[in-house]
Amino acid sequence: MDFLKVSIDQGVAVATINRPPANALSRALILEVGDLLEQLKDIDEVRVIVLHGEGKFFSAGADIKEFTTVTSGAEFSKLSSDGQRIFEKLETYHKPVIAAIHGAALGGGLELAMACHMRFVTENAKLGLPELQLGLIPGFAGTQRLPGYVGKAKAAEMLLTSDPITGLEAVKWGLANRVFAEDVMLAETMAIAHKIAKKSPVAMKAALAMLQFAKDDSYHKGVEAEANSFGEVFVSEDAKEGIQAFIEKREPKFNGR
């Protein structure tokens, strides 16, 4: 793979995102996540997957520059629904997937982490959905998964302020499972992953499947609406201004159109 480095250690596959400098999520990288799941599904040796980021970040977000190559709302909606489909495959995967987050998991990076079954974070990690800062909205089911973890009020705060929260706050808010010091986070994550890997694959598959029944029936309607809205917002003047301002490293000037 071009952007995922994979190694297997005692039943645990460690998939490291390697797309410097910020491990931004491109369409190609998102497709590789889907390919990874397909490749590992029938490898009995692999019982658990740990998703990690190379360098300073887990993933600092989607590749904004890539958005400038898309012109129509319909194409943006398809981009959203394609990403949703792969992240749904991740969330419903029959083997546990753990996101080990350091540095930052922002925008699409957090949406990727939220699709994993568990999230372990460093104390000072930054987790957030800053899309509204660019005149955009999350497009990979972030608007639907976030309230399930932190509640609607906290989700509204994170979305509307665009302010990230720390790893410590993420655990308090219910967005992350555990918090570790940065120098031991990956080792602690692997220790838990190895513990899980010793469990019965049959029982783990059944347990993960049962957890899906806890999802509200309105979720699938919500992600469809998100994909449509994603396309509508992306062709607005505000979105064009927000993306251009991001590329030019300046404050955007939104006009409400």
Side-chain angles (χ1 to χ4, degrees):
M1 294 187 178
D2 292 327
F3 305 117
L4 290 174
K5 299 190 300 183
V6 183
S7 62
I8 299 175
D9 176 28
Q10 300 177 59
V12 179
V14 180
T16 303
I17 304 169
N18 184 31
R19 191 169 185 263
N23 294 330
L25 293 185
S26 63
R27 281 179 284 192
L29 175 51
I30 292 172
L31 288 173
E32 280 196 9
V33 172
D35 292 342
L36 173 73
L37 300 178
E38 193 65 26
Q39 291 178 23
L40 296 180
K41 70 177 184 178
D42 294 324
I43 299 179
D44 293 339
E45 180 188 355
V46 174
R47 304 284 182 85
V48 181
I49 300 171
V50 171
L51 194 58
H52 183 55
E54 185 75 37
K56 296 181 179 180
F57 303 101
F58 176 79
S59 173
D63 188 342
I64 302 300
K65 290 183 179 179
E66 195 173 72
F67 291 159
T68 62
T69 65
V70 184
T71 57
S72 72
E75 192 175 352
F76 276 122
S77 292
K78 185 178 185 305
L79 174 69
S80 174
S81 59
D82 286 348
Q84 289 175 351
R85 175 178 51 80
I86 291 173
F87 288 6
E88 174 83 0
K89 183 176 181 179
L90 177 63
E91 185 178 45
T92 59
Y93 202 56
H94 62 290
K95 301 180 182 186
V97 184
I98 303 171
I101 300 170
H102 71 291
L106 301 173
L110 180 56
E111 290 178 292
L112 172 63
M114 286 195 292
C116 296
H117 299 113
M118 289 172 277
R119 283 151 300 284
F120 300 151
V121 297
T122 58
E123 297 166 322
N124 296 318
K126 301 296 183 184
L127 293 82
L129 296 175
E131 284 85 351
L132 266 71
Q133 241 171 223
L134 306 179
L136 312 175
I137 65 168
F140 300 138
T143 63
Q144 304 304 299
R145 286 197 178 93
L146 184 62
Y149 291 121
V150 305
K152 288 185 178 180
K154 290 292 189 183
E157 179 180 341
M158 289 182 68
L159 284 166
L160 298 178
T161 65
S162 298
D163 293 336
I165 61 176
T166 66
L168 285 170
E169 290 172 317
V171 172
K172 291 178 181 178
W173 287 22
L175 185 55
N177 297 73
R178 303 193 188 195
V179 60
F180 300 110
E182 185 159 356
D183 59 343
V184 300
M185 189 271 289
L186 188 55
E188 294 285 357
T189 298
M190 290 298 293
I192 295 170
H194 284 136
K195 179 179 181 180
I196 295 171
K198 295 177 182 178
K199 302 294 191 296
S200 160
V202 175
M204 284 197 293
K205 180 179 180 179
L208 292 173
M210 292 305 101
L211 286 173
Q212 290 304 309
F213 283 98
K215 186 183 293 183
D216 191 281
D217 288 340
S218 65
Y219 170 82
H220 289 96
K221 294 180 181 178
V223 292
E224 182 180 355
E226 182 191 80
N228 291 332
S229 182
F230 188 79
E232 293 171 1
V233 169
F234 259 88
V235 294
S236 69
E237 290 182 18
D238 277 357
K240 293 174 184 175
E241 163 64 11
I243 291 170
Q244 192 62 35
F246 177 84
I247 293 172
E248 295 175 358
K249 295 181 172 56
R250 61 174 173 80
E251 286 291 319
K253 297 179 180 179
F254 298 127
N255 58 26
R257 292 193 296 273

